[in-house]
Amino acid sequence: MAFVPDTVLEISLNLLGFVVGLALGIFSYIGFKNTGSPTLFRLNIAFFSIGIGFGVVGFGYVIELFILKYAQPDSWIQTLGIGIQTVGYFFIAFSHGIKSFFPKSRYFKSIIFPLFIIPGNSIEHIIRSISFILLVYGTIETIMSYMENRNRNTIFVAAGLGLLALGEFLGWYSIIFPKSILYFISLSTKITGLGALFIPISQVPLRGGPKFGGNI
Amino acid sequence: MAAIYRTHMSIIGDILSTTRDETPDESGASVTYLIRKANVSYGRLAKILETLVQQGLLEQTTSDRACKYRISSRGREFLQAYRGFREFADSFGLRI
């Protein structure tokens, strides 16, 4: 069995996405444990989902190619990983939706789910389309927030979400042109986007901090 | 100008900030003072103050027969952590 360098690169990029996503998720979790904030709880779910989504693809490929010795990894691994990432993108967009449309509702916002009608001929195609829409929405909302707060970090987050959207778009395009370099550009763009989301964390001291009750 | 909606957490942040930075004297801030500075109703403030004292974030003192509140060292740590995570959420254009 001969592994092409492309596969190794693909696995490496996915595992890098797993680590970055998990780090962001852990930071958001520490924030949620300290403040009990529902926003940080949603970000925690979002980043854990994104990280796990990358991890499913990365570790799935490692298991199938290196342990089970398959000639080619199953396509369902990719679909499952992207599906889990989409859950993460949904929660980022959902947080913006709550802020913009339900700023005062404490109960309705928990049960509102947007409907998407996406044409498509494969599950992966549909999932990528949803991811793209969610990410574009998140990017626009973040840019709008920057207009209000003029916080420099917000620009990095908007750029990060925009790059993730571009990555999803290129990923979808690579379905049309399989085996092309587009897929690796897509993956690299997504990892760069995740890296941009990491910038705000560098402004905050990473420490466990005191633990407070959850009913504050 | 449109009214800015404040989350429960941001009201707590405002109360703790007031007791840390804007108390008129060392004995702490009175309920009336906190109502004015944190811009919150008496009923809501009373519930929040009770929770914050129970959690050890505020200390209750009695001065001139009036109940006053001042921030504890635990409250200072919480406020510092809160501001860090608020900055993080702000970066996403979100409020905690």
Side-chain angles (χ1 to χ4, degrees):
Chain A
M1 180 178 50
F3 292 113
V4 287
D6 284 358
T7 313
V8 177
L9 179 66
E10 192 177 343
I11 289 170
S12 308
L13 287 172
N14 276 300
L15 293 181
L16 183 62
F18 169 70
V19 172
V20 173
L22 224 54
L24 283 160
I26 289 168
F27 183 79
S28 304
Y29 179 73
I30 292 170
F32 166 65
K33 285 296 282 180
N34 277 289
T35 64
S37 160
T39 301
L40 290 172
F41 179 65
R42 284 189 287 271
L43 286 179
N44 153 46
I45 295 174
F47 289 123
F48 272 128
S49 296
I50 293 169
I52 290 168
F54 276 107
V56 163
V57 180
F59 288 115
Y61 281 15
V62 167
I63 289 168
E64 288 211 333
L65 296 174
F66 295 94
I67 297 171
L68 301 176
K69 308 283 184 193
Y70 285 11
Q72 268 206 326
D74 286 323
S75 60
W76 64 262
I77 292 177
Q78 174 90 332
T79 306
L80 178 66
I82 289 168
I84 296 170
Q85 285 176 45
T86 304
V87 173
Y89 302 143
F90 168 78
F91 273 96
I92 291 176
F94 187 39
S95 296
H96 280 293
I98 286 170
K99 191 194 76 176
S100 300
F101 299 113
F102 308 101
K104 291 184 180 176
S105 166
R106 299 183 70 186
Y107 303 102
F108 274 107
K109 65 190 181 187
S110 305
I111 52 168
I112 299 294
F113 283 90
L115 292 171
F116 296 94
I117 302 166
I118 309 289
N121 53 8
S122 74
I123 294 171
E124 188 173 329
H125 186 160
I126 293 167
I127 291 171
R128 281 191 188 278
S129 306
I130 294 171
S131 290
F132 178 72
I133 290 166
L134 293 171
L135 285 164
V136 167
Y137 173 67
T139 306
I140 291 168
E141 282 286 349
T142 310
I143 291 170
M144 298 286 280
S145 297
Y146 172 74
M147 299 295 186
E148 288 172 14
N149 65 22
R150 297 283 168 188
N151 183 344
R152 198 164 50 98
N153 284 335
T154 309
I155 280 294
F156 288 112
V157 171
L161 292 175
L163 285 169
L164 282 168
L166 179 64
E168 282 301 337
F169 179 76
L170 293 173
W172 167 80
Y173 217 60
S174 71
I175 293 174
I176 299 172
F177 299 107
K179 308 271 181 194
S180 72
I181 197 166
L182 271 176
Y183 180 72
F184 298 101
I185 296 173
S186 151
L187 209 50
S188 307
T189 309
K190 283 170 74 175
I191 303 295
T192 311
L194 266 184
L197 297 185
F198 209 81
I199 290 172
I201 289 188
S202 64
Q203 315 291 320
V204 182
L206 263 177
R207 59 185 179 79
K211 296 286 180 285
F212 302 95
N215 56 346
I216 291 172
Chain B
M1 196 176 75
I4 297 169
Y5 172 70
R6 289 188 300 164
T7 60
H8 182 66
M9 187 54 62
S10 65
I11 291 171
I12 287 173
D14 288 346
I15 292 169
L16 290 175
S17 295
T18 304
T19 55
R20 193 186 72 170
D21 305 327
E22 299 176 49
T23 46
D25 56 66
E26 283 186 6
S27 61
S30 66
V31 172
T32 314
Y33 186 80
L34 286 173
I35 287 172
R36 198 170 66 242
K37 287 287 181 182
N39 193 24
V40 59
S41 69
Y42 174 77
R44 188 160 189 192
L45 180 72
K47 282 182 193 164
I48 294 174
L49 287 177
E50 189 185 340
T51 309
L52 293 180
V53 170
Q54 276 173 3
Q55 293 286 333
L57 304 183
L58 283 182
E59 291 168 354
Q60 198 171 7
T61 60
T62 309
S63 174
D64 298 332
R65 283 181 292 176
C67 216
K68 291 193 171 183
Y69 296 89
R70 68 178 173 213
I71 194 166
S72 65
S73 58
R74 195 171 149 86
R76 286 173 194 276
E77 284 179 53
F78 176 84
L79 191 58
Q80 195 181 354
Y82 161 75
R83 286 183 171 172
F85 291 113
R86 186 185 62 185
E87 185 74 18
F88 175 68
D90 276 351
S91 302
F92 282 83
L94 299 169
R95 287 188 291 262
I96 67 168

